[in-house]
Amino acid sequence: MIAKIPSSFLMEPVVLHEKLHTTFTGVVHPITTLEAPVYQYLGIKYASIPARFRQSKLMTSYPLVTDATCHGPICPQVNYKAHEEELFGLTEDSAPVQTFKQHEFECLNLNITCPANATPGSNYPVMFFIHGGGNRGSGSSWLYDGGAFVQRSIMVGKPVIIVTINYRLGLLGFAASPALRDDNHLTGDTGVGNYGLRDQRKALEWVYNYISDFGGDPMNITLFGLSTGAADILCHMHSTANETRPLFQRAIVQSPALELDIPNVSSAGWQFSKLMSTFQARSVEDLRAIPVEKLVAYAPHIRAVDDGLFFSKGWHEALYPEESCLHGHSDVPELQALSLHLKSHTRISSHSRSRSRARHINSINLYNHPPHLQPMMIGDCGAESLQWSNAASLWTAPGVVRRIRAICQSLSKSSALLRAYDISSHTPADELPERETAKRARSGHGVWRYVFDQESPSRGVPHHAVDLLYLFDNIPLSVPAAATPPSSFSPHLSSPCDSPSAYSPPDTPDMSYGSDSDSDGVDFGFGFDGAEDDGWGAPIVDEWTYTRVRNTVQERWLAFAYGDAPWSADKVYVFGPEGEVGERSMGIFRGRRRFGAWKEALEPLGMHLAQKVGLELSNGPPMGSRA
């Protein structure tokens, strides 16, 4: 057991910043121990926003004393609740309460979590996290609190500094049109749209310029992110700025959710025109006068745009090939979330004693990693598609069959696809397996691939974002995620502004299983068994399993942040199922992700048709034909 110590036994967290001529005052993290004390500096403003739909400006001037004891405002959004909280099965009653102020012009802030002994000469590696969630979310969420991860880094002798950020989302972060481009040009801005991406770049510039006084090494920064945040990292890797002035050394791309295509300014302009029509705005200035609450309520899903300046030459050919999406072609993309949302979530009768195997199909595309891009770790979770289960669960088997045949316009193509998913018109609705997600990962020089098939402690399947649960280690295993009253469950809330009560997380034995790269393990097949209604045969994540996988994930990520190879580049690293960890052959990799089935079913369709199938089925059936 590791004894917690009160903050009164530690020096007040203070950074006398020479470059910025200010003193940052922070907080002692509640997870702090005598062996591994952790400090945090919260809500530091890294950039300012001169006006709506304008590029942010780097912050370089601060008062003599800068209060960094509370989280800053977040980008305005509707019904704020972290996407991952829903995926983890946390209800409103069980999730800890965090109330963030929302402010359009004060939302560009970051949080720094570091070892308490960090000094300007420490030169600890920096891990820079970009949150996902699309039009919602915040880098200040308790899910991404870096306290436990930093403490673990201290205990294994590889201390790091973790930075999480807030940036503009939705319309505020990604609106674009020819009219808006002209407006921005008149004010001296270059390019249009991608305001959220440029905010992220500004945060990265701030860290590069000023992290030294917090003990970080500006020449050793690792980007890591999940979902749309991971897709943003891919955009940064293929950006003109990264080509001319790279600010990070490597990247960890976790389950990226990249758009089916990144539009140009003209193509993106129709949404902006629709927005102006909705609010009867005749000019960009009229739109700037609309209250922000009304704008975010409109909330179309938009992300990156090709404005002719942000992306480097050849980016489109790398991310979006014209040929087939499967292995065997020289021109193939890096990882893109191409989801074939074919099926509803497994529903098992409470009287059933059989275990239903969820079929998971992933495809891997390989190409030589361009030498000018940073080294990268890239991977996915076994049941990524669970996040789209609500809409897809409305399909019936006959409806899926009819729709696929209508889209494919070919009996041979549609039959091959239906065979791959084992669907026919006579498939009972309660036996439709979980929808499948197809992901494509690049390979070659400087790329390490992993698969995360370890089950979630609360839901029993390796759903989207479950790797974050093990990486950040902020949900105590001993507490059922979906059934814990607020009075007994609160993560390592680091800021006194977040919660009125203090929290001391339960101690977990230090079990050094994570570094065993050749752990004994068996491939458990191509899919995963879903948790059943009555719990019969559902996977159980006990303390030993959780600790083994958690330690391994954290140690592999830390090794990469220190510039080491996380595992052999010609192998794939597996996390789970049922606590399995270690390097495995590419044959195991292809087997788990049903590479052969992917190739047989999707190669004949081609990229465009496969995308259309995924998009239409993930939206659910027409209203009149829903189950």
Side-chain angles (χ1 to χ4, degrees):
M1 302 288 284
I2 299 176
K4 306 296 186 296
I5 60 175
S7 59
S8 59
F9 284 81
L10 292 173
M11 295 180 60
E12 180 185 4
V14 170
V15 169
L16 306 176
H17 208 289
E18 293 186 0
K19 287 185 179 179
L20 293 173
H21 307 291
T22 186
T23 298
F24 291 99
T25 59
V27 295
V28 177
H29 197 289
I31 203 172
T32 285
T33 65
L34 283 171
E35 296 83 358
V38 178
Y39 285 171
Q40 281 194 318
Y41 301 89
L42 307 172
I44 299 175
K45 187 173 180 179
Y46 64 81
S48 60
I49 302 172
R52 184 179 295 169
F53 308 135
R54 289 279 309 282
Q55 293 178 22
S56 54
K57 309 297 182 184
L58 190 68
M59 282 288 292
T60 59
S61 178
Y62 294 84
L64 290 178
V65 177
T66 300
D67 182 5
T69 61
C70 293
H71 287 119
I74 65 173
C75 182
Q77 52 197 270
V78 176
N79 296 327
Y80 173 71
K81 182 181 180 182
H83 188 42
E84 288 77 10
E85 289 184 16
E86 297 176 353
L87 289 171
F88 294 156
L90 299 177
T91 66
E92 292 184 0
D93 292 335
S94 65
V97 177
Q98 277 185 301
T99 303
F100 298 121
K101 180 180 179 181
Q102 298 188 9
H103 198 293
E104 179 179 0
F105 303 108
E106 298 295 331
C107 63
L108 303 187
N109 53 77
L110 54 80
N111 310 299
I112 300 172
T113 307
C114 59
N117 67 351
T119 65
S122 296
N123 285 328
Y124 292 144
V126 179
M127 299 187 71
F128 184 102
F129 181 72
I130 301 178
H131 74 83
N135 288 351
R136 56 181 173 158
S138 165
S140 300
S141 168
W142 62 271
L143 289 167
Y144 316 133
D145 183 281
F149 192 12
V150 168
Q151 185 176 72
R152 175 68 180 166
S153 76
I154 299 170
M155 295 171 67
V156 299
K158 290 189 174 181
V160 296
I161 292 176
I162 292 181
V163 178
T164 63
I165 67 171
N166 289 304
Y167 56 92
R168 283 176 285 181
L169 308 169
L171 276 170
L172 301 176
F174 296 94
S177 76
L180 193 53
R181 178 179 55 197
D182 295 341
D183 174 271
N184 286 187
H185 179 71
L186 291 175
T187 60
D189 285 349
T190 57
V192 66
N194 300 326
Y195 305 110
L197 286 171
R198 295 179 188 275
D199 292 343
Q200 295 167 11
R201 173 75 183 188
K202 281 291 186 292
L204 193 55
E205 287 182 26
W206 194 98
V207 169
Y208 182 84
N209 291 336
Y210 305 123
I211 200 64
S212 294
D213 282 12
F214 291 89
D217 183 357
M219 303 306 295
N220 190 4
I221 298 174
T222 299
L223 299 189
F224 70 119
L226 178 115
S227 194
T228 52
D232 289 346
I233 291 176
L234 294 179
C235 291
H236 288 299
M237 293 185 76
H238 287 277
S239 68
T240 302
N242 187 50
E243 189 175 69
T244 58
R245 187 177 176 237
L247 298 179
F248 60 98
Q249 280 60 52
R250 61 195 67 85
I252 305 175
V253 180
Q254 302 174 225
S255 303
L258 197 63
E259 297 297 323
L260 296 181
D261 196 5
I262 295 178
N264 59 30
V265 175
S266 297
S267 298
W270 74 269
Q271 283 192 330
F272 195 79
S273 297
K274 184 179 179 181
L275 177 68
M276 295 184 68
S277 176
T278 299
F279 292 104
Q280 299 181 349
R282 297 183 178 182
S283 66
V284 173
E285 285 303 319
D286 288 346
L287 203 58
R288 288 193 173 111
I290 302 295
V292 68
E293 296 80 9
K294 293 184 177 180
L295 280 184
V296 298
Y298 179 75
H301 180 74
I302 53 177
R303 207 68 182 181
V305 63
D306 178 18
D307 64 351
L309 294 172
F310 183 87
F311 290 99
S312 61
K313 183 179 180 181
W315 72 271
H316 195 275
E317 290 75 13
L319 292 174
Y320 302 103
E322 296 299 327
E323 285 84 17
S324 167
C325 61
L326 292 179
H327 178 55
H329 298 269
S330 59
D331 182 19
V332 294
E334 47 196 34
L335 193 150
Q336 171 189 350
L338 171 62
S339 299
L340 293 185
H341 317 303
L342 295 183
K343 307 167 187 178
S344 66
H345 182 51
T346 305
R347 291 169 289 178
I348 306 297
S349 168
S350 60
H351 303 290
S352 171
R353 293 293 181 181
S354 65
R355 300 181 70 184
S356 173
R357 183 174 295 278
R359 296 169 176 83
H360 178 69
I361 301 180
N362 274 7
S363 168
I364 306 302
N365 275 326
L366 308 178
Y367 84 110
N368 290 326
H369 181 52
H372 69 277
L373 292 183
Q374 292 91 336
M376 179 173 68
M377 282 170 50
I378 192 166
D380 67 345
C381 299
E384 295 282 3
S385 56
L386 187 61
Q387 59 185 316
W388 291 283
S389 61
N390 288 340
S393 65
L394 300 174
W395 284 101
T396 62
V400 171
V401 171
R402 288 194 300 269
R403 193 66 199 133
I404 289 179
R405 287 175 176 171
I407 295 171
C408 292
Q409 293 292 300
S410 166
L411 184 60
S412 61
K413 292 179 180 180
S414 60
S415 296
L417 189 58
L418 292 168
R419 267 197 315 272
Y421 287 89
D422 194 20
I423 296 178
S424 72
S425 297
H426 305 291
T427 303
D430 62 353
E431 292 182 10
L432 282 177
E434 182 187 24
R435 296 169 302 108
E436 320 299 349
T437 299
K439 289 188 176 294
R440 293 173 287 130
R442 69 183 184 180
S443 178
H445 175 71
V447 176
W448 289 265
R449 294 178 305 281
Y450 71 88
V451 290
F452 201 94
D453 294 344
Q454 177 59 39
E455 301 85 0
S456 164
S458 60
R459 304 191 69 174
V461 292
H463 56 70
H464 181 66
V466 70
D467 46 347
L468 288 184
L469 185 154
Y470 289 87
L471 180 64
F472 283 104
D473 190 28
N474 284 329
I475 300 180
L477 178 65
S478 59
V479 181
T484 308
S487 59
S488 62
F489 172 43
S490 179
H492 329 306
L493 293 176
S494 56
S495 168
C497 310
D498 294 333
S499 173
S501 59
Y503 168 74
S504 296
D507 292 301
T508 304
D510 182 13
M511 304 170 67
S512 303
Y513 298 107
S515 60
D516 183 9
S517 61
D518 56 354
S519 308
D520 292 332
V522 181
D523 176 33
F524 288 87
F526 303 150
F528 304 92
D529 299 306
E532 303 180 10
D533 293 346
D534 61 354
W536 178 265
I540 297 176
V541 181
D542 57 20
E543 186 174 22
W544 181 89
T545 299
Y546 178 86
T547 304
R548 176 181 174 89
V549 175
R550 178 204 64 192
N551 288 357
T552 307
V553 171
Q554 291 178 342
E555 289 170 10
R556 296 304 94 201
W557 266 236
L558 289 171
F560 192 60
Y562 265 77
D564 300 330
W567 52 83
S568 301
D570 61 341
K571 303 287 187 180
V572 61
Y573 207 93
V574 301
F575 302 96
E578 301 181 19
E580 177 188 1
V581 295
E583 295 182 4
R584 299 292 180 265
S585 69
M586 287 301 298
I588 294 294
F589 187 29
R590 292 187 174 95
R592 287 198 179 191
R593 294 306 186 249
R594 298 187 68 191
F595 184 86
W598 245 96
K599 183 176 178 67
E600 178 184 353
L602 297 182
E603 189 169 39
L605 298 184
M607 176 69 77
H608 177 73
L609 197 58
Q611 290 175 339
K612 186 175 182 181
V613 170
L615 183 61
E616 292 208 18
L617 295 182
S618 66
N619 287 335
M623 292 297 295
S625 60
R626 295 191 170 189

